C-alpha cells in the first residue's frame, strides 16, 4: 500500500513537471502562443461612425453588415492577426481594434478607402466594375447530382448586356473577380450568361459562399464612415503593461505559496502543487479556445488563482476540524473533502452565474475577464475536488501515523 502510493505520487510529480516543461514554449510563443490583446501588445483602437447620406435615407442594419464586410476585407489586407471588429447597430458604429499596428493614420487611410469590385480578363485588364452588379446571394445547387455551394449573381440592365458580351467573348476562359487589386475569385466561363443571372461555384460551405456574397454586394462602403475615436497604444506601453502584469502574477503566487505553507504545512504544499496543475489547465484551455489575453483577462486569471486557494482552505479547515475530533488522518481527509464539497460547489456556481452575466452584457474587455474567470473556476473545482484529493490520499496512505503538526494543528496528547 505504501509502495503503491509512493509510486503514484512520484509519477504525478514527474508527469506534472514534464507537462509544465513542454507547455512553456507553445503557450508563450509570440507568434503561435496565446495571442495578446491591444492593451498588452500595442496597436490601434478606432470607432467609425456611419453618416447619413445627403438624401437623408436611414442607415439600415444591412448597410452596417456590408460596411463591416468591406472593413474586414481591409483589415485582412493589413495582415493583422486576431483583429477585433464589432458592430453597434443602435449607434450605427463599428469598433475596430488592431493589435500590432503602429501607424493609426495609415490604418485609417486603408480602412476608409473606397473598395472597388472589378471583373477582369485573363491578362488582368478591367472588363467591368461591380457598380453594375445588382445582387449576390449564397445558395445550394444540386442540379448536377451533387451538392454545390454557390453564389448566385444578377446584374442591372446595363450590366446584363455588358456581362453577356464578356462571357461570350471569354467562353472557356477564366474571368478574375478582384477587390481592389486583390483577386478573390477566378471562375471559368462555361456558358455565355446573357440573361443577367449567373452563379459562381467552388465554395466549401454555405457559410463561405454567404461571406463572398456579402463581399460582392458590398463592393464599396455603402455609407460614409467618419472617425469619432482614434487611440493608439504604443508597443512599449503594451510591453510595459505585460511585464507589470506578469510581475504581479509572480508576486501573488509567491505570497500564496508561502501563506499556504506556513498556515497548512503539508496540505499547503499539496495546494501549491495543485495550483501549478490548475495554472497549466487554465492556460491550455484559453489557448485551445483562442482567447485573446488582455489586462482584464490577466486580472480574471489572478482572481481565479485566489478562488482556487479559497477552495483548498475550506477543505483543509474541515480536515483540521475532523482531526481535532480525534479521527484518523485517512478518515479526516475523506470527511473533509466530502463535507466541504457542497459549500465549495455552491459558492463557485454563484460566481459562474455572475461571470456569465458579465460575458453576455459586457464589452469585449469585460467578456475576456468573464471567460478567464469561468475557465479558472471550473479548473479550480477540478483540481480541488479531484487532483488535490488524490494527492492527499496518497500522502496519508504512505504514512497514516504521521504527525498531525504537519496538518497545521497541535498534537493531541
Amino acid at each position: 500500500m505504501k509502495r503503491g502510493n509512493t509510486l503514484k505520487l512520484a509519477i504525478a510529480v514527474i508527469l506534472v513537471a514534464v507537462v509544465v516543461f513542454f507547455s512553456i514554449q507553445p503557450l508563450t510563443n509570440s507568434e503561435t502562443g496565446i495571442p495578446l490583446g491591444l492593451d498588452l501588445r500595442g496597436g490601434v483602437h478606432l470607432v467609425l461612425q456611419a453618416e447619413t447620406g445627403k438624401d437623408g435615407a436611414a442607415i439600415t442594419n444591412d448597410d452596417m453588415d456590408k460596411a463591416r464586410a468591406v472593413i474586414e476585407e481591409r483589415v485582412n489586407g493589413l495582415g493583422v492577426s486576431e483583429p477585433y471588429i464589432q458592430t453597434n447597430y443602435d449607434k450605427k458604429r463599428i469598433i475596430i481594434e488592431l493589435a500590432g499596428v503602429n501607424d493609426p493614420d495609415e490604418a485609417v487611410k486603408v480602412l476608409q478607402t473606397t473598395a472597388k469590385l472589378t471583373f477582369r480578363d485573363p491578362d488582368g485588364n478591367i472588363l467591368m466594375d461591380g457598380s453594375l452588379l445588382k445582387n449576390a446571394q449564397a445558395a445550394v445547387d444540386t442540379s448536377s447530382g451533387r451538392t454545390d455551394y454557390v453564389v448566385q449573381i444578377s446584374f442591372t440592365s446595363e450590366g446584363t448586356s455588358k456581362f453577356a458580351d464578356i462571357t461570350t467573348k471569354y467562353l472557356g476562359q477564366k474571368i478574375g473577380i478582384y477587390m481592389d487589386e486583390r483577386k478573390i475569385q477566378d471562375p471559368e466561363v462555361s456558358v455565355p450568361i446573357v440573361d443577367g443571372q449567373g452563379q459562381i461555384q467552388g465554395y466549401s460551405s454555405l457559410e463561405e459562399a454567404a461571406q463572398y456574397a456579402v463581399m460582392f454586394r458590398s463592393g464599396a462602403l455603402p455609407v460614409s464612415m467618419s472617425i469619432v475615436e482614434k487611440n493608439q497604444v504604443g508597443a512599449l506601453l503594451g510591453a510595459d503593461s505585460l511585464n507589470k502584469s506578469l510581475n504581479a502574477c509572480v508576486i501573488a503566487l509567491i505570497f500564496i505559496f508561502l501563506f499556504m505553507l506556513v498556515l497548512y504545512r503539508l496540505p499547503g504544499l499539496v495546494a501549491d502543487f495543485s495550483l501549478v496543475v490548475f495554472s497549466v489547465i487554465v492556460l491550455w484551455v484559453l489557448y485551445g479556445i483562442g482567447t485573446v489575453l488582455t489586462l482584464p483577462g490577466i486580472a480574471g486569471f489572478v482572481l481565479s488563482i485566489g478562488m482556487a486557494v479559497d477552495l483548498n482552505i475550506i477543505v483543509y479547515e474541515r480536515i483540521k476540524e475532523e482531526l481535532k475530533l480525534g479521527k484518523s488522518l485517512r478518515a479526516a481527509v475523506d470527511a473533509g473533502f466530502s463535507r466541504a464539497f457542497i459549500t465549495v460547489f455552491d459558492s463557485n456556481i454563484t460566481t459562474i452565474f455572475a461571470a456569465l452575466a458579465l460575458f453576455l452584457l459586457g464589452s469585449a474587455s469585460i467578456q475576456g475577464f468573464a471567460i478567464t474567470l469561468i475557465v479558472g473556476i471550473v479548473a479550480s473545482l477540478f483540481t480541488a475536488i479531484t487532483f488535490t484529493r488524490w494527492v492527499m490520499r496518497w500522502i496519508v496512505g504512505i504514512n497514516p501515523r504521521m504527525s498531525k503538526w504537519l496538518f497545521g494543528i497541535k498534537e493531541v496528547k
Side-chain angles (χ1 to χ4, degrees):
M1 185 67 180
K2 291 181 181 178
R3 189 175 180 181
N5 287 325
T6 303
L7 185 61
K8 291 176 183 175
L9 189 59
I11 292 174
V13 172
I14 294 172
L15 190 60
V16 170
V18 170
V19 171
V20 170
F21 179 79
F22 286 103
S23 297
I24 294 175
Q25 197 279 333
L27 291 176
T28 59
N29 187 291
S30 59
E31 297 296 330
T32 60
I34 299 177
L36 302 180
L38 184 70
D39 49 0
L40 297 178
R41 189 181 175 190
V44 177
H45 171 87
L46 301 171
V47 178
L48 304 184
Q49 175 71 59
E51 303 288 352
T52 305
K54 295 180 179 179
D55 58 358
I59 299 170
T60 65
N61 290 346
D62 189 50
D63 291 334
M64 297 301 295
D65 288 337
K66 291 178 180 177
R68 174 172 176 159
V70 173
I71 289 173
E72 284 180 337
E73 178 67 15
R74 293 269 173 284
V75 170
N76 292 335
L78 289 171
V80 179
S81 62
E82 303 293 341
Y84 170 75
I85 303 175
Q86 184 182 45
T87 305
N88 186 327
Y89 294 105
D90 296 331
K91 295 183 178 180
K92 307 304 179 188
R93 290 182 172 181
I94 295 178
I95 303 164
I96 307 163
E97 291 187 350
L98 308 174
V101 174
N102 298 319
D103 188 345
D105 295 327
E106 181 63 23
V108 170
K109 180 181 177 182
V110 173
L111 293 178
Q112 286 192 314
T113 302
T114 301
K116 188 175 182 181
L117 183 71
T118 55
F119 297 86
R120 305 189 184 193
D121 66 16
D123 296 325
N125 300 311
I126 297 177
L127 302 173
M128 63 181 290
D129 62 45
S131 62
L132 302 178
L133 190 66
K134 185 177 180 181
N135 197 11
Q137 295 288 340
V140 177
D141 182 8
T142 58
S143 59
S144 62
R146 64 177 188 273
T147 300
D148 290 323
Y149 302 104
V150 301
V151 173
Q152 295 176 337
I153 56 177
S154 60
F155 294 92
T156 62
S157 56
E158 181 184 353
T160 299
S161 174
K162 199 165 185 177
F163 203 63
D165 294 339
I166 291 172
T167 52
T168 300
K169 181 178 179 180
Y170 292 96
L171 182 65
Q173 300 182 53
K174 290 185 176 181
I175 294 180
I177 302 176
Y178 287 72
M179 185 70 79
D180 291 334
E181 296 303 318
R182 190 172 75 89
K183 183 163 63 178
I184 56 177
Q185 288 279 280
D186 196 23
E188 181 176 317
V189 180
S190 56
V191 294
I193 301 173
V194 297
D195 59 353
Q197 305 285 333
Q199 69 178 29
I200 303 172
Q201 298 175 314
Y203 304 98
S204 61
S205 66
L206 188 60
E207 290 75 17
E208 183 187 11
Q211 290 175 359
Y212 274 95
V214 170
M215 200 182 302
F216 294 157
R217 293 199 307 268
S218 302
L221 284 171
V223 291
S224 176
M225 307 292 289
S226 64
I227 301 292
V228 295
E229 190 175 332
K230 181 175 68 176
N231 298 319
Q232 182 180 12
V233 180
L236 292 177
L237 181 60
D240 185 56
S241 299
L242 179 60
N243 291 332
K244 288 181 177 178
S245 302
L246 293 177
N247 289 336
C249 287
V250 171
I251 293 173
L253 284 173
I254 290 174
F255 275 109
I256 290 173
F257 279 27
L258 291 177
F259 174 81
M260 295 301 292
L261 280 174
V262 171
L263 195 63
Y264 295 101
R265 296 162 193 168
L266 184 57
L269 181 63
V270 175
D272 294 342
F273 182 53
S274 297
L275 277 180
V276 176
V277 177
F278 159 82
S279 300
V280 172
I281 291 175
V282 171
L283 292 176
W284 271 111
V285 171
L286 294 178
Y287 175 79
I289 62 178
T291 300
V292 177
L293 193 61
T294 61
L295 281 176
I298 291 178
F301 179 58
V302 174
L303 179 60
S304 63
I305 290 176
M307 296 185 68
V309 175
D310 282 344
L311 299 186
N312 288 308
I313 289 176
I314 292 172
V315 172
Y316 293 165
E317 287 297 328
R318 292 281 188 181
I319 293 175
K320 289 169 72 174
E321 290 176 4
E322 299 296 331
L323 289 173
K324 289 175 181 177
L325 292 174
K327 289 189 176 180
S328 65
L329 284 178
R330 179 61 179 268
V333 168
D334 287 341
F337 278 97
S338 298
R339 294 185 177 182
F341 174 76
I342 298 299
T343 304
V344 167
F345 187 77
D346 288 349
S347 63
N348 282 272
I349 286 296
T350 53
T351 307
I352 287 178
F353 287 154
L356 284 174
L358 290 175
F359 178 78
L360 294 174
L361 303 176
S363 60
S365 58
I366 300 299
Q367 287 178 334
F369 171 82
I371 290 174
T372 309
L373 184 59
I374 292 172
V375 172
I377 291 172
V378 174
S380 66
L381 280 172
F382 169 76
T383 54
I385 295 173
T386 58
F387 184 77
T388 306
R389 185 173 188 167
W390 294 339
V391 175
M392 287 293 293
R393 294 187 69 174
W394 294 338
I395 291 176
V396 171
I398 293 173
N399 182 10
R401 298 181 182 278
M402 69 177 65
S403 171
K404 294 180 180 178
W405 178 87
L406 292 173
F407 287 75
I409 63 173
K410 295 181 180 179
E411 287 282 8
V412 179
K413 298 181 180 179

